[in-house]
């Protein structure tokens, strides 16, 4: 990114301390930019999880990524409509498009919000031959109205594991989020901001490291065994196995 543009969009970033990730050091080719989907968990007009998602998106773009931020406002509650609803289809298509994801939720009653969980609930583990989340790198972050807590990021890690994602080691928990953003919705310089930069940098590196190897990394003995048994039954029944 041009230095003058970076300075204007990321005024709190010390650019010399954040070099572009080098794909060659990670065994990755210089192919297309990493594709990152960001999800946030609040519908409030002054949603701090949305502000944090947009701050993270600026950093990801600075690091050379292509990004999409899903707006959950028009997403219906799970099972209230059919899965062919346009917002459900958009969410699933964007998840399938992604190679890495960022999940950000406020902490409410010690866990993730219903708004955030509803997005994950609409994502199937498997939809035909398409797996919208499996093998993708994942970064988790939370915002809190009070003192620092890690309940939500811990829950997000459980969700990420259940969705068969590769959750990175680093994470961010922004306490008293109402005082960490200015009147323009930008995150103020702080140790919290620096941690967000750390998490986004690590996510990009893990995405580059795993994206071309994801299918191999999550290839399972039990699934291969099941496929072989199904093929054997089909042969015994005289069925023709499509290839």
């Amino acid at each position: 990114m041009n230095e003058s543009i970076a300075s204007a969009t990321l005024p709190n970033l010390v650019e010399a301390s954040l070099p572009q990730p080098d794909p060659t050091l990670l065994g990755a080719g210089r192919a297309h930019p990493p594709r990152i989907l960001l999800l946030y968990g609040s519908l409030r007009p002054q949603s701090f999880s949305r502000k944090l998602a947009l701050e993270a998106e600026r950093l990801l773009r600075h690091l050379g990524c292509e990004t999409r931020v899903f707006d959950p406002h028009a997403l219906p509650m799970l099972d209230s409509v059919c899965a062919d609803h346009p917002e459900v289809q958009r969410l699933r298509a964007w998840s399938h498009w992604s190679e890495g994801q960022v999940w950000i939720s406020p902490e409410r009653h010690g866990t993730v919000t219903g708004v955030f969980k509803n997005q994950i609930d609409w994502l199937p583990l498997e939809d035909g031959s398409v797996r919208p989340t499996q093998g993708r790198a994942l970064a988790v972050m939370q915002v809190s109205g009070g003192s620092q807590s890690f309940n939500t990021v811990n829950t997000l890690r459980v969700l990420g594991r259940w969705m068969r994602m590769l959750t990175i080691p680093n994470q961010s928990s922004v306490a008293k989020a109402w005082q960490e953003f200015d009147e323009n919705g930008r995150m103020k310089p702080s140790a919290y901001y620096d941690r967000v930069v750390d998490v986004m940098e690590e996510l990009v590196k893990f995405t580059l490291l795993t994206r071309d190897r994801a299918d191999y990394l999550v290839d399972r003995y039990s699934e291969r065994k099941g496929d072989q048994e199904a093929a054997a039954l089909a042969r015994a029944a005289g069925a023709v196995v499509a290839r």
Side-chain angles (χ1 to χ4, degrees):
M1 179 180 288
N2 180 278
E3 287 191 6
S4 61
I5 296 175
S7 297
T9 58
L10 296 167
N12 301 325
L13 183 68
V14 179
E15 294 175 51
S17 298
L18 188 66
Q20 293 285 314
D22 187 346
T24 61
L25 295 177
L26 300 167
R30 293 187 178 276
H32 60 270
R35 299 192 294 257
I36 308 296
L37 172 65
L38 298 96
L39 305 179
Y40 63 92
S42 171
L43 305 181
R44 296 172 59 241
Q46 293 300 318
S47 167
F48 292 110
S49 62
R50 180 176 183 273
K51 291 177 182 180
L52 185 55
L54 295 178
E55 200 68 48
E57 182 184 35
R58 295 182 188 99
L59 291 164
L60 290 167
R61 289 183 173 179
H62 176 74
L63 291 167
C65 297
E66 184 180 353
T67 60
R68 294 179 183 178
V69 179
F70 184 78
D71 182 346
H73 279 79
L75 184 69
M77 287 298 295
L78 181 69
D79 295 336
S80 66
V81 298
C82 294
D84 60 1
H85 186 282
E87 288 304 302
V88 175
Q89 289 299 303
R90 185 200 308 275
L91 175 61
R92 293 183 177 185
W94 284 13
S95 185
H96 181 60
W97 162 88
S98 72
E99 297 166 324
Q101 296 189 16
V102 181
W103 291 359
I104 306 170
S105 176
E107 180 165 301
R108 184 161 300 157
H109 297 167
T111 188
V112 301
T113 62
V115 170
F116 186 86
K117 184 60 162 52
N118 188 51
Q119 295 171 77
I120 305 306
D121 287 345
W122 272 118
L123 293 173
L125 284 176
E126 188 171 351
D127 186 10
S129 61
V130 175
R131 293 180 171 178
T133 56
Q134 179 167 296
R136 286 154 179 80
L138 172 65
V140 297
M141 300 196 289
Q142 74 171 77
V143 292
S144 303
S147 57
Q148 191 171 47
S149 165
F150 299 96
N151 293 321
T152 296
V153 286
N154 289 338
T155 300
L156 292 173
R157 286 185 176 277
V158 171
L159 282 173
R161 184 170 67 248
W162 188 258
M163 302 305 288
R164 302 175 180 173
M165 303 178 80
L166 306 172
T167 308
I168 67 171
N170 216 336
Q171 62 187 25
S172 171
S173 173
V174 180
K176 297 182 180 178
W178 51 272
Q179 66 183 15
E180 295 301 324
F181 294 84
D182 64 22
E183 62 277 7
N184 297 313
R186 298 303 305 273
M187 197 169 183
K188 300 174 183 178
S190 68
Y192 290 135
Y193 177 80
D194 292 347
R195 173 58 68 90
V196 173
V197 178
D198 288 346
V199 175
M200 293 305 100
E201 181 183 20
E202 188 171 289
L203 173 64
V204 175
K205 291 177 179 177
F206 271 79
T207 301
L208 289 169
L209 181 66
T210 61
R211 67 178 183 181
D212 295 328
R213 304 171 175 86
D215 289 342
Y216 177 71
L217 290 170
V218 297
D219 186 35
R220 290 177 178 81
Y221 160 77
S222 59
E223 293 181 351
R224 293 192 300 273
K225 180 170 176 276
D227 289 343
Q228 291 165 1
E229 290 173 348
L233 287 172
R235 286 194 300 271
V240 177
V241 179
R243 295 186 181 278

